[in-house]
Amino acid sequence: MTDRYCVFGHPIGHSKSPSIHAAFAEQTGEAIEYTAIEAPLDDFCGAWQRFVAAGGRGANVTVPFKEDAFRCCDVLSTRARRAGAVNTLVLSGNGKSSDFKVHGDTTDGVGLVRDLVRHGVALEGARILVLGAGGAVRGVLEPLLAQAPQSLQVANRTAAKAEALAHDFSDLGAIIGSGFEDVQGPFDLVINGTSASLSGELPPLPDTLFSPSAGAYDMMYGAEPTVFLRWAAARGAGTMDGLGMLVEQAAESFFQWRGKRSDTAPVLERLRRSL
């Protein structure tokens, strides 16, 4: 019997997750069916429950449902609890009895760190700046701080949001929050977690942001470099986009469902060619 998985979103037609997980399944010899489902904006948990009732075993969750998924879980990982959001749902038990449990995790931060390591970025002892204070940033702070950077600054247009976020994670390492106007640098790594790239905008940043041999990472990706990456490259930074993060977070979800590690390199290469 083929086990069923899916990705929930709204909209979801653009999702690359079905092709990614089909490639993982082919690699590992796992018999799964993975589809994309557009859940109603006002009834995510209902959509998940209907999927389970139809034989679903687990799901990925993308915008705008990660906080809704958090509220549908019986058991949360530590990092999901801190993030206040879930992108991976795992069903324990047979899915039909009254005692099954819904486990929730967030694999975004793991995906980011693994992609940075793949690029050869040294995180231990690094000075890191993260731009933005929304859910995308909240989901990656714990894995970043676990790499023991020298410092991590979260900067946001609204300083109070960044300061509150830093306070929530202050027990994990050296982290501060600020407005964009208080960013000085230099930094060894700058991660753009804002949605500004989608609209072709840049946060107001100083030209002195990057140290020599610094890296710039945008969680967004596209066929062409984002405006943030173009700006960073013009100032001497090495640039990386978020396509690898997408593949690596998916690989962690697949491992949680099937207990098998996937080779992400050929999947990433195939996706890159298709952009």
Side-chain angles (χ1 to χ4, degrees):
M1 181 178 176
T2 301
D3 288 337
R4 295 184 61 199
Y5 300 89
C6 75
V7 57
F8 288 105
H10 191 110
I12 197 61
H14 65 286
S15 176
K16 299 185 182 303
S17 293
S19 62
I20 293 172
H21 284 280
F24 291 162
E26 183 179 1
Q27 277 185 14
T28 59
E30 292 292 294
I32 71 167
E33 174 190 316
Y34 188 107
T35 57
I37 297 177
E38 184 168 286
L41 292 174
D42 59 352
D43 189 26
F44 170 79
C45 286
W48 161 246
Q49 290 162 2
R50 289 188 289 274
F51 180 68
V52 170
R57 301 293 301 153
N60 287 129
V61 184
T62 188
V63 291
F65 296 124
K66 292 183 181 183
E67 293 181 357
D68 296 273
F70 180 91
R71 292 188 285 270
C72 295
C73 295
D74 301 305
V75 182
L76 291 163
S77 69
T78 301
R79 59 194 181 199
R81 193 176 298 280
R82 275 193 179 272
V86 159
N87 81 332
T88 302
L89 294 168
V90 185
L91 194 68
S92 66
N94 61 23
K96 295 181 180 179
S97 64
S98 60
D99 62 350
F100 74 80
K101 298 291 185 182
V102 179
H103 295 253
D105 192 16
T106 177
T107 64
D108 289 331
V110 173
L112 171 62
V113 168
R114 287 182 183 162
D115 194 39
L116 287 168
V117 171
R118 182 182 63 83
H119 281 289
V121 176
L123 296 171
E124 184 176 357
R127 297 162 295 179
I128 300 174
L129 173 67
V130 181
L131 305 173
V137 169
R138 190 175 189 94
V140 304
L141 291 181
E142 180 174 355
L144 283 173
L145 288 167
Q147 303 303 306
Q150 176 181 316
S151 62
L152 194 158
Q153 182 172 350
V154 179
N156 189 58
R157 193 174 303 277
T158 304
K161 289 186 66 176
E163 291 164 357
L165 199 54
H167 177 268
D168 290 346
F169 288 82
S170 60
D171 59 312
L172 299 181
I175 180 171
I176 62 170
S178 74
F180 289 136
E181 67 278 5
D182 293 320
V183 172
Q184 295 185 357
F187 296 94
D188 303 308
L189 174 65
V190 180
I191 300 170
N192 181 27
T194 74
S195 58
S197 291
L198 294 176
S199 56
E201 299 176 354
L202 265 177
L205 301 168
D207 288 333
T208 56
L209 204 60
F210 302 104
S211 66
S213 71
Y217 193 102
D218 199 324
M219 292 188 194
M220 303 296 175
Y221 64 87
E224 300 297 331
T226 65
V227 63
F228 168 73
L229 293 183
R230 294 196 302 271
W231 179 86
R235 286 151 183 80
T239 59
M240 302 156 279
D241 71 10
L243 189 63
M245 176 181 171
L246 173 69
V247 175
E248 293 293 346
Q249 64 82 24
E252 179 62 21
S253 295
F254 189 87
F255 175 74
Q256 293 191 25
W257 295 329
R258 311 302 296 181
K260 292 186 178 180
R261 292 287 180 191
S262 308
D263 182 1
T264 55
V267 180
L268 176 57
E269 182 180 354
R270 189 186 310 170
L271 275 183
R272 182 71 68 188
R273 290 198 304 265
S274 71
L275 292 180

